[in-house]
Amino acid sequence: MRLFFTSLGKRKAYVVAELFLVYLALGIGLIMLGSVLPELRAAYGLDYKTGGTLLSVQSVGYLAVGLVTGAASVKLGQKRAYLALYALMPVGFVMLLTNGAPLWLMAAMLLIGLAKGAITDYNNRIMSEYSGGNATPLNLLHAFFAIGACAAPLLVLLCLRKGGNGWRLALTAASVLLIAAFVFGLFMRMDSGRPAEDYQTPAGGGFGFFRERLFWQTTAIGFFYQAVEASMMGWLTSFYVDSGVMSAGSAQAVTSLLWIALLIGRFSCSVIAAHWRPWQMMLVMCSGMALFLALLICGASLPVLLIATAGLGLCMSGMYGTSISNAGDTFTRYPASMGLFVTITGIGGAVAPTAVGLAADRFDLRRGFAMLLLAAVLLIVSAVINAQYFKKKA
């Protein structure tokens, strides 16, 4: 790792510092949205359905921006494209503070989703280029997001102690940090975007992955996982508060526990991956997710909810990266397959939070969360089918 930083030089080191700062700010800002959702809904008089729609709109923006990031780098240059799309994030946060009209809030969440998708694309691509494909700097980059995510609920908790408008103070603090990262980025000298032809699907790539069973198995696993993850990240604090087991302050602290478990799990998975195959890891993680999700939904005491939250964090931590590894060289042989994989799996993350919100409006949030058990069961089924495929292949 030290060799990586010493090899960068001043210009690239500044860019890497910007990537780290932006991911830290994103971790704080994005997780804070779920943490303040109960207060935001109460302040603007929103029902569960509208709250779920806001979370889903953010996922839609995350999916849509993948169509423009490459072209934007070509047309504007990588630095201008990076900053222009990232600027949508603080704009969206400011919009959340200024008006409570549902359409206005949806527009704000769309901008936040667009910025999230663009920064995820650019940050990972730039870091991968600078590190020559070395996974360690990439893991460190994602660790900064997790650190911000751990801090977000605690920051919200401190702000809520200031009174009824504490959620506004929290979002204002996140906006200031997001703007500071933008200003810091103005002074970097980032490499210009790659030539336009680099963003085109190679003629030899084709669409042969449509006939590959492994691609569809991996996509099914990603789809159901994203459904559970997006709902958990957006609704978890609301679930804790509405369950009546925790106060608002305790709910923020326990939400932070989820991200601490995720951070620990991500480092643990990198060690376990050296000894286990991806399909074996996913069998265990998918089964664990279903078990701890059921425990969360049925739990009526604080110790049970703590165990369920930590267990979910550990089981969810390595799912996305492991599912990518599960596909082997499919994404390398067929460049177009990655775009379709991200789109299809992202639909799960876009639809599920709204479904939870609709069920919560009709019944309650606990029963809304119970709908996620269906996704968890289908996740296990997909993982079992995937395991049987590899066993037969062996």
Side-chain angles (χ1 to χ4, degrees):
M1 195 65 191
R2 183 182 298 176
L3 180 62
F4 166 71
F5 284 109
T6 55
S7 67
L8 288 175
K10 273 189 178 181
R11 179 179 58 79
K12 288 186 177 181
Y14 192 99
V15 174
V16 168
E18 164 72 357
L19 303 186
F20 285 162
L21 178 59
V22 164
Y23 250 35
L24 178 69
L26 255 64
I28 291 175
L30 293 175
I31 303 307
M32 187 177 285
L33 291 177
S35 295
V36 303
L37 186 59
E39 286 74 23
L40 186 146
R41 284 197 305 107
Y44 291 142
L46 306 177
D47 56 18
Y48 283 117
K49 180 183 71 174
T50 306
T53 302
L54 293 179
L55 298 174
S56 293
V57 166
Q58 183 192 147
S59 296
V60 170
Y62 179 83
L63 292 175
V65 79
L67 303 174
V68 302
T69 50
S73 292
V74 173
K75 298 293 184 182
L76 302 176
Q78 191 155 264
K79 176 182 173 178
R80 289 181 180 177
Y82 182 91
L83 292 176
L85 290 170
Y86 170 66
L88 300 178
M89 180 77 70
V91 169
F93 270 74
V94 171
M95 288 174 66
L96 291 175
L97 291 165
T98 56
N99 195 301
L103 287 178
W104 178 265
L105 295 176
M106 289 178 194
M109 292 297 277
L110 181 64
L111 294 182
I112 291 170
L114 289 168
K116 174 187 173 184
I119 294 306
T120 300
D121 182 323
Y122 288 137
N123 276 24
N124 284 283
R125 179 144 43 87
I126 293 167
M127 185 62 80
S128 181
E129 177 189 339
Y130 284 6
S131 65
N134 187 343
T136 302
L138 278 168
N139 286 331
L140 182 59
L141 175 66
H142 286 274
F144 269 79
F145 182 94
I147 291 168
C150 291
L154 302 179
L155 179 59
V156 171
L157 178 58
L158 289 174
C159 293
L160 290 178
R161 290 178 176 174
K162 301 296 183 181
N165 281 326
W167 69 273
R168 291 184 179 275
L169 179 60
L171 289 186
T172 300
S175 301
V176 170
L177 180 58
L178 290 164
I179 293 171
F182 175 82
V183 173
F184 187 81
L186 291 174
F187 301 97
M188 66 181 173
R189 289 188 294 148
M190 186 181 286
D191 293 338
S192 59
R194 293 180 295 176
E197 57 267 20
D198 283 1
Y199 293 99
Q200 298 173 1
T201 302
F207 295 91
F209 62 91
F210 280 116
R211 299 186 297 272
E212 298 219 4
R213 179 180 165 183
L214 183 57
F215 170 78
W216 295 110
Q217 289 170 187
T218 304
T219 301
I221 291 170
F223 178 89
F224 295 119
Y225 165 69
Q226 292 272 28
V228 175
E229 185 204 48
S231 301
M232 289 291 297
M233 298 309 175
W235 281 118
L236 191 59
T237 303
S238 299
F239 174 82
Y240 290 144
V241 174
D242 293 2
S243 67
V245 178
M246 301 182 196
S247 65
S250 298
Q252 301 296 346
V254 176
T255 300
S256 186
L257 172 65
L258 175 71
W259 277 95
I260 293 172
L262 279 164
L263 186 59
I264 294 171
R266 283 175 180 169
F267 286 115
S268 300
C269 283
S270 64
V271 176
I272 295 171
H275 306 284
W276 285 33
R277 295 178 181 177
W279 65 267
Q280 294 172 319
M281 292 176 65
M282 286 194 297
L283 263 181
V284 175
M285 289 188 288
C286 292
S287 301
M289 283 176 60
L291 173 64
F292 288 114
L293 180 60
L295 190 63
L296 180 75
I297 293 168
C298 299
S301 65
L302 183 58
V304 172
L305 293 180
L306 289 175
I307 293 170
T309 300
L312 273 168
L314 291 172
C315 293
M316 290 167 54
S317 60
M319 274 296 300
Y320 192 82
T322 306
S323 66
I324 297 293
S325 300
N326 181 76
D329 65 346
T330 301
F331 296 129
T332 303
R333 289 186 291 118
Y334 303 105
S337 64
M338 177 56 83
L340 187 61
F341 172 80
V342 171
T343 300
I344 295 176
T345 57
I347 291 172
V351 172
T354 298
V356 171
L358 288 170
D361 268 336
R362 187 173 179 83
F363 305 105
D364 55 47
L365 192 51
R366 189 177 290 272
R367 294 188 189 182
F369 256 52
M371 292 186 62
L372 296 177
L373 287 174
L374 176 60
V377 170
L378 293 173
L379 185 58
I380 293 176
V381 171
S382 301
V384 169
I385 293 172
N386 184 66
Q388 290 176 339
Y389 168 83
F390 279 100
K391 286 180 179 179
K392 289 180 180 178
K393 192 173 180 181

